[in-house]
Amino acid sequence: MMFELNKHEFYGLILGFSLYVFQGINYSQLAPYFPNDAQNDKGVSTTVIGLITGAFDISDMFAAFLLASFMSAETQKLFFCYGAFISAVCSILFGCMEHSVGGSPYIIVCFFIRFVMGIGASMVWSTGVLIMVPLVPEYSEAITTWTESCIGLGIAFGPPVGSFLYTFGGFLTPFLSLGIIQLLLTITCIFYIPNPIKNKHKKNLNLSLNKKSISEKDPGLNFFYYITRPYVLCASIPLFMQSMSFGFFEVAVGPYLEDYFSIGGSFSGYYFLPFAITYALAILTLAPLIERGYAGYIYLTSIFISALSFTMLWTPDTFPLVQHKHWLTFWLAAQGLAISGSFVPASIIFEMLAFDIGFKDNQNVKLVATSWLNACFAIGRKFGPLVTGGFFLDLYGFYNSCLLQAGIVIVTFMFAWFVSWKKNLLVLRRYSIGKHPEYELASSRFVESENIMEKFMLNPGPRSQFTTSIGF
């Protein structure tokens, strides 16, 4: 089926995806060179560098909670565009810190800029799905999956892009050039992304899953009710740990390459390329599989791969023969596969849990799932640079920090398996798209009951509208 979009809607979809990618690049492109420059030129310790990079995630986390509490359909586009503008301006300002004096003034201003930049990014990441899904409602899950994938794609490609621009023109060049591109994309989005409440595809999105559905008149109450459910928390813990690895690599790989292999910030970013390429290729493979019912399997497998790769990154400490830069890049590539397999299906899993809890409005489900996914990422990204990539790295070094990460991820695997088992996330049964308008937006919805019609409380329709299959 082809997308039935007019020109403005088509451009809006492409621009939305592009802005997500560049927002991710702006977020992570400083990883190869900023830790070394701040430490060598400005006299900033590794722990404080973790605080500066983590300031983004502190504000991102709190902003995600606030946005889920008071954002409405009328303000989604406003938040999206303002957030992208704020983030782009902060990126440019951070590049200008090259000319600042070192010490406390440098640390305070850098922290403040990254903090404000995190607020802008949260406004983008919490609203993009809600804006773009109504453009193609019959492909709701596909748009959700690809939107979340674009964030990770940008973050994965950020370090090599930043390293290339840093080599080309110094510290200011990456921030200035990428910030200007994001500003241009933001201005274009203002004209081409339609207002969701005026979209021609807007339909009745109410899907009642049980008689005790949560009241939808208070999104803030709904959100805090949702994130305090035990199964949601258990499913979230592995995401905290996976996002910690993003922050850990951001502050640890650059100094590790310089200390052990004498590779500076001008070239260390290229060693993230296998990570980024694997992530990108995994998205192409995993997105269709997730839509067909394999989200639970992919989720568990990715956590196992992450634990394995961290263990292998630790082994050179015990077996010095394998200590080589190619050993590092290979297992960074494995981490790219693991992280894509965690975050790409996470949004779908969070939506499934929201429906199971009792949420009935599809738009509200996407709001709480997207906001909580954003918050999970921000929380983990905060602790990564601060704890394993900051305090622990300072005391025990790169290899022991990798061993700690491996142990933590192994423990979180048990939480993921528990949720998958209790909520039947490994059962490949899906609720497919039908022709009836009332369940057009329930694409790829997994169900547990044999009596699907009673489970969803929908009007009777042809049984051929529903499919139960393995690998479909």
Side-chain angles (χ1 to χ4, degrees):
M1 182 186 297
M2 298 295 293
F3 290 175
E4 297 179 0
L5 299 175
N6 60 38
K7 182 175 68 175
H8 275 66
E9 290 171 335
F10 175 77
Y11 289 156
L13 202 60
I14 299 301
L15 287 168
F17 286 143
S18 301
L19 190 56
Y20 260 57
V21 172
F22 272 92
Q23 182 66 70
I25 292 175
N26 264 326
Y27 166 66
S28 66
Q29 54 88 12
L30 77 171
Y33 56 88
F34 173 69
N36 291 333
D37 278 26
Q39 192 170 16
N40 298 332
D41 299 340
K42 306 297 182 181
V44 182
S45 68
T46 304
T47 302
V48 175
I49 291 171
L51 285 172
I52 293 173
T53 56
F56 181 105
D57 303 290
I58 295 175
S59 58
D60 184 15
M61 176 184 66
F62 286 109
F65 280 93
L66 293 174
L67 288 170
S69 301
F70 64 77
M71 187 173 61
S72 64
E74 292 83 358
T75 58
Q76 288 168 12
K77 181 180 175 181
L78 182 68
F79 278 115
F80 184 77
C81 294
Y82 270 126
F85 177 81
I86 291 171
S87 181
V89 172
C90 286
S91 177
I92 296 172
L93 292 176
F94 198 89
C96 296
M97 293 303 294
E98 176 188 23
H99 306 291
S100 169
V101 297
S104 298
Y106 177 83
I107 294 170
I108 294 171
V109 176
C110 283
F111 186 92
F112 177 77
I113 293 175
R114 288 287 290 182
F115 187 90
V116 177
M117 186 178 180
I119 295 175
S122 184
M123 293 165 69
V124 174
W125 290 341
S126 296
T127 55
V129 173
L130 304 176
I131 290 174
M132 287 186 280
V133 163
L135 299 179
V136 195
E138 60 270 29
Y139 290 91
S140 172
E141 304 304 338
I143 298 300
T144 300
T145 300
W146 281 99
T147 304
E148 299 299 339
S149 300
C150 285
I151 299 176
L153 193 63
I155 293 173
F157 274 97
V161 171
S163 192
F164 171 78
L165 294 173
Y166 177 81
T167 305
F168 181 76
F171 188 89
L172 177 61
T173 303
F175 296 99
L176 181 62
S177 56
L178 294 172
I180 290 175
I181 292 174
Q182 186 169 329
L183 278 176
L184 294 176
L185 284 173
T186 304
I187 294 171
T188 311
C189 284
I190 294 173
F191 297 100
Y192 281 99
I193 290 183
N195 193 320
I197 64 174
K198 296 181 181 180
N199 193 280
K200 67 180 181 181
H201 293 294
K202 184 174 177 62
K203 295 179 174 66
N204 182 13
L205 305 181
N206 291 332
L207 293 174
S208 178
L209 293 188
N210 57 51
K211 296 180 180 179
K212 295 182 180 180
S213 297
I214 309 302
S215 171
E216 293 160 28
K217 296 181 180 180
D218 187 354
L221 178 61
N222 282 355
F223 180 70
F224 285 100
Y225 179 88
Y226 172 77
I227 65 176
T228 54
R229 299 307 91 197
Y231 289 118
V232 175
L233 291 175
C234 287
S236 305
I237 290 173
L239 293 181
F240 298 151
M241 300 304 108
Q242 292 289 66
S243 58
M244 281 179 66
S245 64
F246 260 125
F248 172 74
F249 290 137
E250 182 176 299
V251 300
V253 171
Y256 171 75
L257 287 169
E258 185 174 46
D259 293 341
Y260 285 86
F261 306 107
S262 300
I263 298 172
S266 299
F267 297 98
S268 61
Y270 298 119
Y271 287 86
F272 284 87
L273 271 176
F275 176 92
I277 292 172
T278 306
Y279 189 99
L281 293 177
I283 289 173
L284 297 176
T285 305
L286 297 180
L289 293 176
I290 291 167
E291 294 173 42
R292 295 177 181 181
Y294 291 91
Y297 285 101
I298 294 170
Y299 187 60
L300 288 176
T301 304
S302 66
I303 299 170
F304 175 80
I305 294 174
S306 178
L308 176 64
S309 61
F310 270 118
T311 303
M312 293 298 103
L313 287 172
W314 162 78
T315 53
D317 191 41
T318 305
F319 304 100
L321 289 177
V322 299
Q323 182 174 289
H324 196 278
K325 54 189 176 183
H326 295 319
W327 181 267
L328 173 69
T329 55
F330 178 83
W331 291 110
L332 281 178
Q335 278 291 346
L337 175 63
I339 292 175
S340 66
S342 296
F343 281 94
V344 175
S347 181
I348 306 301
I349 291 173
F350 282 159
E351 286 186 26
M352 292 158 56
L353 292 175
F355 276 107
D356 184 81
I357 290 169
F359 286 81
K360 62 182 181 179
D361 183 82
N362 193 70
Q363 191 80 346
N364 200 24
V365 165
K366 289 193 174 295
L367 173 61
V368 296
T370 303
S371 298
W372 182 234
L373 178 62
N374 186 22
C376 288
F377 179 78
I379 293 170
R381 280 283 297 107
K382 171 58 189 169
F383 282 96
L386 182 60
V387 180
T388 55
F391 174 77
F392 202 86
L393 183 66
D394 273 344
L395 291 180
Y396 300 105
F398 179 82
Y399 292 126
N400 287 326
S401 297
C402 288
L403 182 62
L404 174 65
Q405 288 270 119
I408 293 174
V409 174
I410 290 172
V411 173
T412 63
F413 179 85
M414 302 304 297
F415 288 97
W417 177 85
F418 174 75
V419 175
S420 300
W421 172 59
K422 293 294 289 185
K423 292 301 179 181
N424 291 332
L425 299 182
L426 303 180
V427 178
L428 301 183
R429 304 176 66 180
R430 57 182 289 186
Y431 176 38
S432 300
I433 300 173
K435 295 181 180 180
H436 197 288
E438 285 191 330
Y439 41 81
E440 179 177 282
L441 288 184
S443 61
S444 302
R445 185 69 56 215
F446 292 69
V447 296
E448 303 172 17
S449 173
E450 289 290 340
N451 191 347
I452 302 175
M453 301 297 288
E454 180 180 350
K455 175 74 175 179
F456 282 87
M457 295 184 178
L458 295 175
N459 293 330
R463 287 192 63 82
S464 61
Q465 302 295 339
F466 303 93
T467 62
T468 300
S469 59
I470 297 179
F472 174 74

